[in-house]
Amino acid sequence: MMGEMTWPDYKSRVEKGAIVLVPFGSTEQHGYHMCLGTDSLLPTAVSRAVAEQIDAIVAPAVNYGARSQPKSGGGNHYIGTTSLSGVTLIHLVRDMIVEFARHGVRRLVLMNGHMENGPFLAEGVDVAMRELKLEGITDMTILKLDYYEFTSEETLKIVFPDGFPGWALEHAAVFETSLMMSLHPGMVDLSRVREERLANFPPYDIYPADLEAIPPSGALSPAGSASVEKGERMMKEYAALIPPAILKAFGL
Ligand SMILES: [Zn+2]
């Protein structure tokens, strides 16, 4: 964990070519039953598990994320949801990449846990890479990944026996709740899950948001069938599948 290292220790690890992982999350409502930090805690846990296997460094997580959208995070009207504008996030990502490059880091992984961050991370990477190129740094490689994309078909069938609703509708639902139950049981209270309808959104976005379309609890599909076992299964899979994918992508 970079935040727990001294700078000389960090420097010597970077000089040896260490991969640096940066968890990106959010501070966002996760229903009545789960904490606001869920999207940051999960990619941080995944990053830790991955780093242990490939001897990587985990940088401090970015605990604020892009504006919550109704169809993937319930929307930005909930009290507690605390978002960055896209422009701010782009600049934040760009600044961080340029700093890591200055340290000598040449392999960086952006480990995302909040879907809305995606396009802004991509843009921040692009701006940073152009800037680094002008400075003559052309040997940096950056990976951007949403850790949940590493869930296998087989696991999806086990976690969602009645059908997988898609990652966007899995906000504060079975997938995130199961992972939190396995990693941070004290931050989940299943008795507070409200068994509401599955969110049913039209195939467009409307501004201002149609609050009627959003389940009032903020969870976009019912989390009632979440379990520690499901969480452990997914976590095990991420720990097994993500490290080799990272090494392969970096040509190691
Ligand atoms: Zn989430």
Side-chain angles (χ1 to χ4, degrees):
M1 304 304 282
M2 180 183 173
E4 299 169 17
M5 298 166 82
T6 64
W7 78 264
D9 292 343
Y10 169 75
K11 180 170 178 274
S12 79
R13 292 281 304 281
V14 168
E15 281 168 357
K16 288 181 195 129
I19 296 169
V20 174
L21 313 174
V22 193
F24 279 84
S26 69
T27 298
E28 184 188 46
Q29 68 79 19
H30 275 73
Y32 279 68
H33 65 289
M34 217 155 47
C35 63
L36 291 156
T38 297
D39 281 359
S40 302
L41 290 164
L42 295 179
T44 300
V46 173
S47 295
R48 247 184 203 271
V50 169
E52 275 167 18
Q53 294 179 65
I54 57 173
D55 203 22
I57 297 169
V58 181
V62 176
N63 291 327
Y64 296 91
R67 212 179 302 286
S68 181
Q69 297 296 317
K71 289 160 82 172
S72 49
N76 216 67
H77 56 291
Y78 288 89
I79 301 302
T81 294
T82 313
S83 305
L84 304 176
S85 67
V87 172
T88 303
L89 184 53
I90 290 168
H91 285 146
L92 176 82
V93 174
R94 172 243 169 235
D95 286 356
M96 290 175 70
I97 292 170
V98 170
E99 282 293 85
F100 285 117
R102 179 178 65 78
H103 303 162
V105 174
R106 291 296 179 266
R107 297 184 185 103
L108 190 68
V109 180
L110 312 183
M111 180 78 76
N112 187 32
H114 174 64
M115 191 175 271
E116 286 88 335
N117 286 340
F120 304 102
L121 299 187
E123 186 63 17
V125 169
D126 194 70
V127 174
M129 295 285 252
R130 285 161 192 260
E131 197 173 313
L132 291 175
K133 200 172 168 191
L134 291 175
E135 289 178 19
I137 298 174
T138 55
D139 58 345
M140 186 168 192
T141 311
I142 300 172
L143 274 192
K144 169 175 98 54
L145 64 93
D146 288 0
Y147 69 88
Y148 43 82
E149 298 286 359
F150 284 82
T151 316
S152 70
E153 286 296 323
E154 196 194 339
T155 294
L156 283 182
K157 278 188 198 133
I158 290 167
V159 176
F160 304 100
D162 301 326
F164 174 50
W167 292 120
L169 288 190
E170 264 305 304
H171 173 75
V174 178
F175 141 71
E176 287 183 321
T177 303
S178 297
L179 282 172
M180 285 296 282
M181 285 168 77
S182 71
L183 294 163
H184 301 285
M187 296 184 206
V188 186
D189 183 355
L190 263 197
S191 72
R192 298 185 74 193
V193 169
R194 302 200 168 184
E195 285 300 331
E196 301 167 320
R197 66 188 189 280
L198 190 74
N200 184 18
F201 294 110
Y204 53 79
D205 296 311
I206 188 162
Y207 309 94
D210 173 15
L211 301 188
E212 295 292 309
I214 303 163
S217 75
L220 297 185
S221 46
S225 63
S227 74
V228 175
E229 293 70 30
K230 288 180 177 178
E232 283 172 351
R233 183 186 174 97
M234 288 186 282
M235 199 54 207
K236 224 169 153 184
E237 196 157 84
Y238 303 146
L241 298 181
I242 297 177
I246 290 176
L247 294 179
K248 186 169 175 233
F250 287 137
L252 296 172

